[in-house]
Amino acid sequence: MGNSALKAHLETAQKTGVFQLTGKGLTEFPEDLQKLSSNLRTIDLSNNKIELLPPLIGKFSFLKSLALNNNKLTALPEELCKLKKLETLHLNGNHLRQLPAAFGQLSALKTLSLSGNQLRTVPTQLSGLRHLDVVDLSKNQIQNVPDTVGELQAIELNLNQNQISQISVQISHCPRLKVLRLEENCLELSMLPQSILSDSQISLLAVEGNLFEIKKLRELDGYDKYMERFTATKKKFA
């Protein structure tokens, strides 16, 4: 992609606050973008070949949405955590193994998508984020869900297509969690905390494709209570 094309995109972005350059084979984050660090609200560089997000990302203090789906990122810089206005972060289809230590400082974050990475656990940093609505950790290599999950503020947690065989009972203490997706994991029925059914806010539990038959779930103590929540919620959305 020539400089003139990039320049045209930059001029448009200056007016709109949106910089979108997807599927152009970019191998690095365009440094020229920092000229617009006070203009940009949205950056979408999905479907490129970017291996590194430079520390200058921390300068985009008004950024609300950042999408880098389907790139080649193996790590994220700590500077990313300075983006106090960031509400949406899409990083699906990269090679991320962990999140920066200060990730919990992204205090405005509402939507986080990390599907198709190489995470091995539910990042503890997520527990500090007070405005999280949706967290997508599907298609990773997560094997267990730790106790810190109990502090997660999300409304929806997607853990489909991992290798989960253990879940902390603390998950039933999540104050806002309504939707829990655990399809296609390695769960035995005995490893599913019954308190999810009997004593949580969860009104949609998706567990197809694990190591038990769904009808066995219906025999568990607390299933009736879960069905009450499920039905009440369904009426609300109908």
Side-chain angles (χ1 to χ4, degrees):
M1 196 184 78
N3 272 345
S4 56
L6 181 58
K7 202 171 164 208
H9 276 280
L10 287 169
E11 282 171 12
T12 310
Q14 191 161 7
K15 298 186 189 106
T16 60
V18 177
F19 185 84
Q20 186 173 31
L21 202 57
T22 58
K24 295 289 186 219
L26 291 183
T27 54
E28 48 191 53
F29 187 91
E31 294 239 327
D32 285 349
L33 271 187
Q34 58 186 322
K35 295 173 189 163
L36 301 180
S37 59
S38 56
N39 294 59
L40 289 181
R41 304 292 187 269
T42 300
I43 296 177
D44 185 354
L45 293 165
S46 297
N47 303 312
N48 282 296
K49 296 174 180 168
I50 298 169
E51 294 181 19
L52 214 60
L53 192 56
L56 65 86
I57 190 67
K59 294 180 179 172
F60 293 85
S61 46
F62 296 97
L63 202 61
K64 285 193 158 184
S65 173
L66 177 60
L68 286 155
N69 296 325
N70 304 318
N71 276 282
K72 299 191 168 185
L73 298 172
T74 53
L76 300 170
E78 288 288 341
E79 286 79 2
L80 176 70
C81 308
K82 292 180 180 169
L83 303 181
K84 294 286 184 251
K85 290 191 165 32
L86 194 68
E87 295 179 4
T88 308
L89 181 58
H90 290 290
L91 295 163
N92 301 325
N94 281 283
H95 309 293
L96 299 170
R97 293 172 180 269
Q98 58 194 45
L99 298 180
F103 198 82
Q105 292 173 12
L106 289 171
S107 49
L109 203 61
K110 291 180 179 173
T111 303
L112 175 63
S113 298
L114 286 160
S115 180
N117 278 281
Q118 294 170 16
L119 298 172
R120 293 181 173 270
T121 183
V122 176
T124 54
Q125 296 94 315
L126 302 186
S127 299
L129 297 168
R130 293 280 164 256
H131 299 287
L132 264 188
D133 290 335
V134 180
V135 180
D136 185 353
L137 299 173
S138 61
K139 300 181 185 171
N140 276 280
Q141 297 162 15
I142 298 170
Q143 295 176 3
N144 68 344
V145 180
D147 287 349
T148 47
V149 76
E151 293 161 41
L152 190 69
Q153 299 286 323
I155 295 168
E156 175 169 343
L157 176 59
N158 185 343
L159 291 165
N160 289 347
Q161 292 178 298
N162 277 284
Q163 298 154 20
I164 296 168
S165 58
Q166 284 188 309
I167 301 180
S168 166
V169 71
Q170 296 296 327
I171 199 162
S172 47
H173 296 166
C174 289
R176 298 167 69 215
L177 193 62
K178 298 273 193 284
V179 178
L180 177 58
R181 302 187 186 280
L182 287 163
E183 295 181 14
E184 294 178 53
N185 276 285
C186 310
L187 281 168
E188 303 271 0
L189 190 58
S190 59
M191 285 297 171
L192 191 72
Q194 290 201 9
S195 55
I196 290 177
L197 298 172
S198 60
D199 193 23
S200 79
Q201 302 287 323
I202 295 165
S203 55
L204 177 63
L205 175 65
V207 287
E208 285 77 10
N210 278 281
L211 306 178
F212 59 86
E213 291 176 50
I214 288 298
K215 63 179 187 210
K216 297 277 187 213
L217 186 68
R218 297 175 197 142
E219 294 163 13
L220 291 183
D221 281 348
Y223 188 78
D224 298 349
K225 275 190 172 175
Y226 162 69
M227 279 315 288
E228 281 171 25
R229 294 193 304 273
F230 176 80
T231 312
T233 310
K234 225 170 142 181
K235 279 186 190 137
K236 223 187 308 186
F237 292 127

